[in-house]
Amino acid sequence: MSAQDPLVIFTPSGKRGRFPTGTPVLTAARQLGVDLDSVCGGRGICSKCQVAPAFGEFSKHGVTVAKDALSEWNAVEARYDEKRGLKPGRRLGCQATIQSDIVIDVPPESQVHRQVVRKAATERVIEMDPATRLLLVDVAEPDMHDPSGDLQRLKAALHAAWQVELGDLPLPLLAKLQPVLRKGGWQVTCAIFQPADGPVQLLDIWPGYFEGPLYGLAIDLGSTTMAAHLCDLATGTVLASSGLMNPQIRFGEDLMSRVSYAMMNPGGDAEMTTAVREALNQLAGEIAQEAEIDPRLIVETVFVCNPVMHHLLLGIDPVELGQAPFALATSDSLSLFASELGMDAIHPQARSYILPCIAGHVGADAAAVALSEAPGEQDDLTLVIDVGTNAEILLGNRSRVLACSSPTGPAFEGAQISSGQRAAPGAIERIEIDPETKAPRFRVIGCDLWSDDPGFDAATAVTGITGICGSGIIEAVAEMRMTGLLDASGLIGSAEQTGTSRCEADGRTHSYLVHDGSADGGPRITVTQGDIRAIQLAKSALYAGARLLMDEMGVDTVDRVVLAGAFGAHISPKHAMVLGMIPDAPLNKVTSAGNAAGTGARIALLNRASRKEIETVVRQITKVETAIEPRFQEHFVAANALPHASDPFPNLSALVPLPDLSFNTGGGDGSDGGRRRRRRRG
């Protein structure tokens, strides 16, 4: 490989490398350790190696991808498409060859180790008052002396029996009305959607008594993952929870990269809208199949999402969100037909409710967290952090609630990490390092045993040990700091400085060896200096956002910290505090809320009054804009240290004394990462 060879970037892993022109995509993936399946030996038979190339200008990756960046379709792909069909835009990785710089997305179904989307439903008591319900009515039969139509008599019956004022009917339901009334002997069951304001809408009608059930989807549409909870609208029971990777990752892993893609590529916003809507239909179909229900019985959906995803879901160009003053097209809640969002896998008359946004960078997902955790109803000053690619942060009590977003990036998701991967079976998710021997022990997703437990090798033989996910890298860095492998500036020590050969020379820096599977054909999993830097940047953004809200509130400490989001239930409070991800607080006051945004979506789905509540609450939240606040940069720089350059951490120090050391051989505090300073030539 040479610097002139085409650059290949795989998403969502973020792995990249240069390969000679004509290299098959599958070959490049295997050489980079990308998780791309294939069982037929590259003959184009199994279709497991399907990939989705992306074209256009990618400022995030620093490449422009031409339409001919891959070879044209060959006879093998054409035959497979004719016989079994390829999704639009897909290629077979074993057949497509690299011609120039290219960004390639590996969809979930092409990954050997499927991601575990950690957005399970959290147990929650919700008062049931759904907007969609079933009503049984007896309708007066037509009479020669009464010229009213069947629809008018149905409306009269609903008003008399249930005090329901029915609005206009969509044409497909009007066409269905007369045969259903006669088949039911003038007794029918109506599925009605009753918003807080406005006329009631008929979603469907069945002859006689139809006991349902009817279902709704509460969807947390994140920038990296999308998760849905399938709920029974009568009981609130969660029948199934499922998730997918957001396919927009191939256009950019963080939100501003996607905005940039829309700016640089005409029609780029429409591409991203199409991608996410197709994925939502796939998600709806999969969750219905998992629960063994007819997807056409899903009659309502509720969405929570950040502002960029909000606009792309609606088919609105997000360009205005990429530049001050970060104007939203609308900040109000929206009530639409699901079909307007391209959701054709569910009931054709299904309704969709989208929670309101708080501001240009604080979206409906933050509103859902506010609905779920209700910081404005707490006596304690409560800091709620929804950890993700774009973190939402709330701080408040009964007197006042503040909110901001912070661009943490994808490092917490395992991206931009040398051995990083999404949460999937085989990924290291927990790690401990012995303070004396400096040897690690770890657990992987899919196995409850630790690596030094008897039977671990046999238990992980199928999945292997494939990499390290977000919760694993957080614990690894914190453990390295606690055991003296890493100094406060984030510099990894040498073997001589740390007393362990696991700290290996890696160019001008060092890496820490977690696991060496090379003898069995597996990967060497290390934590590199670059990985430490990526985590420092992510955690500094998170802490700086929280600190900015504390400044605005006029406090230096908080009473409680709530970790929410996909990682909330998987991050150790101790390790998060050692890193300086969160402000110092008593560890017993640091709790997990699980997927708070998803819980907020479920509350809004199952309780109409909560929709009016959150629409009022968001107007009372004070938004702090990190993008234009000069103190954010000051806090960000100070938060680069582990745990912090200046803020005291008395609660942490009492429990976890951190070694006071510096590996910067050039002197100073090590804040320059150990790089040699160039001398000025006189």
Side-chain angles (χ1 to χ4, degrees):
M1 302 181 197
S2 73
Q4 286 73 44
D5 288 332
L7 177 64
V8 183
I9 301 166
F10 286 95
T11 62
S13 68
K15 294 181 177 178
R16 59 175 59 202
R18 292 191 178 275
F19 295 89
T21 301
T23 302
V25 170
L26 180 60
T27 300
R30 285 174 170 168
Q31 290 184 20
L32 290 174
V34 173
D35 193 18
L36 180 59
D37 202 358
S38 178
V39 298
C40 70
R43 292 178 291 164
I45 298 172
C46 72
S47 82
K48 299 289 187 183
C49 65
Q50 289 186 35
V51 295
F55 306 100
E57 186 172 340
F58 296 85
S59 56
K60 168 77 173 181
H61 301 304
V63 297
T64 298
V65 181
K67 289 293 184 182
D68 58 356
L70 291 182
S71 59
E72 294 187 2
W73 272 45
N74 64 16
V76 174
E77 289 176 295
R79 184 178 68 249
Y80 181 87
D81 185 49
E82 180 185 349
K83 299 293 184 184
R84 299 176 63 181
L86 276 172
K87 288 184 179 179
R90 293 281 181 87
R91 298 292 302 272
L92 295 182
C94 62
Q95 301 299 313
T97 63
I98 298 158
Q99 304 299 312
S100 60
D101 293 352
I102 182 71
V103 175
I104 298 173
D105 183 56
V106 181
E109 59 269 31
S110 298
Q111 297 171 20
V112 181
H113 304 94
R114 302 287 178 86
Q115 183 193 18
V116 179
V117 177
R118 300 178 169 197
K119 294 193 176 182
T122 306
E123 288 292 330
R124 186 67 171 263
V125 176
I126 301 173
E127 181 182 347
M128 293 299 298
D129 179 25
T132 302
R133 55 199 175 107
L134 292 171
L135 301 178
L136 180 70
V137 290
D138 292 295
V139 180
E141 295 186 38
D143 189 293
M144 289 288 291
H145 303 289
D146 180 1
S148 63
D150 287 350
L151 173 58
Q152 285 65 45
R153 278 179 280 103
L154 172 64
K155 287 183 175 182
L158 283 167
H159 177 73
W162 299 100
Q163 293 74 57
V164 165
E165 297 292 341
L166 190 64
D168 294 334
L169 257 64
L171 188 57
L173 279 181
L174 185 59
K176 180 180 181 180
L177 177 62
Q178 289 191 310
V180 168
L181 282 169
R182 284 151 182 80
K183 184 176 181 181
W186 305 99
Q187 184 181 73
V188 291
T189 302
C190 298
I192 60 124
F193 174 77
Q194 189 164 20
D197 299 309
V200 172
Q201 293 161 342
L202 187 69
L203 300 185
D204 210 339
I205 186 169
W206 294 269
Y209 175 57
F210 174 73
E211 57 184 335
L214 297 179
Y215 305 99
L217 283 177
I219 302 172
D220 178 7
L221 179 54
S223 52
T224 300
T225 56
M226 53 179 69
H229 306 303
L230 179 69
C231 302
D232 186 315
L233 291 179
T235 66
T237 303
V238 179
L239 282 80
S241 296
S242 187
L244 289 175
M245 296 293 297
N246 188 331
Q248 290 179 350
I249 285 176
R250 68 177 179 267
F251 303 104
E253 289 180 322
D254 60 82
L255 297 176
M256 286 304 102
S257 294
R258 294 181 203 174
V259 174
S260 174
Y261 184 84
M263 289 177 173
M264 300 293 185
N265 300 276
D269 57 316
E271 280 185 83
M272 290 185 278
T273 294
T274 298
V276 77
R277 289 180 175 181
E278 288 177 350
L280 285 169
N281 275 309
Q282 179 184 344
L283 180 58
E286 289 181 359
I287 201 170
Q289 185 177 18
E290 181 182 339
E292 298 180 342
I293 69 156
D294 182 352
R296 293 175 66 84
L297 292 176
I298 299 173
V299 293
E300 193 173 357
T301 65
V302 166
F303 285 94
V304 301
C305 43
N306 61 57
V308 173
M309 292 310 309
H310 174 276
H311 279 37
L312 290 173
L313 170 66
L314 292 169
I316 299 171
D317 190 335
V319 62
E320 293 298 332
L321 296 173
Q323 54 199 2
F326 316 113
L328 289 156
T330 178
S331 56
D332 287 344
S333 63
L334 293 169
S335 186
L336 311 163
F337 282 102
S339 58
E340 294 180 81
L341 302 177
M343 294 197 69
D344 52 19
I346 59 177
H347 194 285
Q349 301 301 325
R351 299 292 302 186
S352 287
Y353 176 80
I354 303 175
L355 270 70
C357 293
I358 296 173
H361 280 169
V362 185
D365 47 0
V369 172
L371 179 60
S372 172
E373 297 307 305
E377 298 175 14
Q378 310 297 320
D379 292 322
D380 287 343
L381 183 60
T382 303
L383 179 70
V384 185
I385 301 177
D386 192 349
V387 187
T389 304
N390 195 66
E392 283 75 38
I393 308 171
L394 300 169
L395 176 66
N397 52 23
R398 293 187 189 278
S399 65
R400 192 182 183 199
V401 178
L402 309 175
C404 74
S405 68
S406 200
T408 52
F412 289 149
E413 308 257 7
Q416 296 183 347
I417 301 298
S418 60
S419 296
Q421 65 169 87
R422 307 295 180 185
I428 295 173
E429 62 171 342
R430 299 286 314 280
I431 187 168
E432 294 176 354
I433 298 176
D434 188 288
E436 300 298 327
T437 66
K438 316 296 185 186
R441 65 193 293 260
F442 52 82
R443 281 175 48 181
V444 300
I445 296 174
C447 178
D448 293 331
L449 299 175
W450 286 84
S451 57
D452 56 355
D453 287 339
F456 174 82
D457 291 342
T460 58
V462 174
T463 63
I465 301 164
T466 54
I468 188 164
C469 68
S471 61
I473 193 66
I474 287 170
E475 294 198 7
V477 176
E479 287 281 326
M480 290 171 68
R481 177 72 182 98
M482 289 190 290
T483 55
L485 301 173
L486 193 67
D487 68 16
S489 73
L491 193 63
I492 302 174
S494 65
E496 293 75 21
Q497 290 170 319
T498 60
T500 175
S501 60
R502 286 183 173 272
C503 287
E504 307 169 334
D506 186 2
R508 296 178 60 186
T509 59
H510 296 89
S511 298
Y512 174 72
L513 178 64
V514 176
H515 171 72
D516 187 356
S518 57
D520 300 317
R524 291 182 93 253
I525 298 172
T526 60
V527 178
T528 69
Q529 192 63 63
D531 298 338
I532 301 293
R533 184 59 178 157
I535 291 297
Q536 283 179 288
L537 293 174
K539 76 95 177 180
S540 297
L542 196 65
Y543 188 91
R547 185 69 229 193
L548 208 57
L549 297 188
M550 293 164 68
D551 288 350
E552 187 72 19
M553 193 69 79
V555 301
D556 290 319
T557 60
V558 298
D559 299 320
R560 293 178 57 235
V561 178
V562 178
L563 294 172
F567 303 116
H570 301 275
I571 296 174
S572 153
K574 178 180 75 173
H575 291 95
M577 202 171 290
V578 168
L579 278 187
M581 284 176 61
I582 56 177
D584 185 73
L587 282 182
N588 64 353
K589 293 291 187 179
V590 182
T591 58
S592 167
N595 181 20
T599 300
R602 283 168 51 216
I603 294 171
L605 175 68
L606 301 172
N607 184 281
R608 280 188 307 151
S610 68
R611 301 183 185 184
K612 295 299 291 182
E613 175 189 342
I614 195 58
E615 288 164 10
T616 301
V617 166
V618 296
R619 303 301 161 235
Q620 299 167 347
I621 295 174
T622 302
K623 166 66 176 14
V624 176
E625 181 52 70
T626 58
I628 59 174
E629 175 53 64
R631 288 173 298 170
F632 180 84
Q633 187 64 24
E634 297 171 20
H635 288 311
F636 180 86
V637 172
N640 264 237
L642 304 171
H644 198 276
S646 56
D647 285 358
F649 277 69
N651 288 287
L652 177 65
S653 299
L655 292 173
V656 187
L658 298 177
D660 183 13
L661 44 80
S662 173
F663 295 135
N664 186 349
T665 55
D669 64 359
S671 62
D672 66 353
R675 295 176 182 170
R676 297 174 183 173
R677 297 175 181 168
R678 293 182 180 179
R679 294 181 180 176
R680 291 183 180 176
R681 295 180 180 179

